[in-house]
Amino acid sequence: MNQNLSLENHKSGLESEYEKRKVNSFELGKQAIDALLAEGKDVTLHNISKKTKEFDEQGIHFNTIRNHEELYAYYKEKSKSYKKKQKELEKHLPYRENKKHTFHEFEQLNPDRDLKNVYKQYMRLTKDELATRLIEAEQYIARGNQDYLKKLFETYEG
């Protein structure tokens, strides 16, 4: 019984310590963001982290900003670079979802198409999307080679 009470006290002490750190991180991060805005500097996670070290020796790590809901919300509200990145991502989302631009049907590709436009379409894709596209193309080529060899073998037999 005595151990359970001691454990509960220890746990509540840890929770209160965590809450203090959480509040301190928010205040320090908010102060850094406001200072960066006043100086006219970009509000990025790394800049905030650096600025907090000017106010407090230890500072706060940029992952702390991401994991702290209130501080991250404040960062998203004040950061132009974050908003710019989000707009960029939003601009590309309709492209990825647009069925006209899904290249899964290799049989339908026209060899006389405008290669500049094709290049632009590929440049809009992410690395993951490009890798998926390349794998699909390789699979299509492999199946085509296999079909060609089957037909060649059948005509050779006959």
Side-chain angles (χ1 to χ4, degrees), residues 5-6 10 14 36 39 42 44 48 59 69 85 94 98-99 103 107 118 127 135 138 142 145 152 154:
L5 187 59
S6 173
H10 182 67
L14 287 175
L36 287 168
E39 294 171 12
D42 289 339
T44 64
I48 296 168
E69 288 179 23
K85 182 72 174 174
N98 190 344
K99 291 184 180 178
F103 306 107
E107 298 88 11
V118 174
K127 284 183 182 180
I135 291 168
E138 288 176 346
N145 285 343
L152 188 65
E154 288 169 0

Side-chain angles (χ1 to χ4, degrees), residues 17-33 48-49 51-53 55-56 58-72 74-75:
E17 183 64 28
Y18 171 75
E19 197 58 39
K20 284 181 198 173
R21 286 183 179 211
K22 188 175 175 183
V23 169
N24 183 45
S25 294
F26 179 76
E27 293 301 321
L28 196 56
K30 186 176 182 301
Q31 184 181 5
I33 291 170
I48 296 168
S49 182
K51 196 67 169 172
T52 58
K53 290 178 182 166
F55 299 127
D56 181 48
Q58 191 174 6
I60 56 175
H61 193 269
F62 63 89
N63 281 334
T64 303
I65 300 165
R66 280 194 193 129
N67 295 329
H68 194 296
E69 288 179 23
E70 296 157 10
L71 183 56
Y72 195 57
Y74 189 73
Y75 156 76

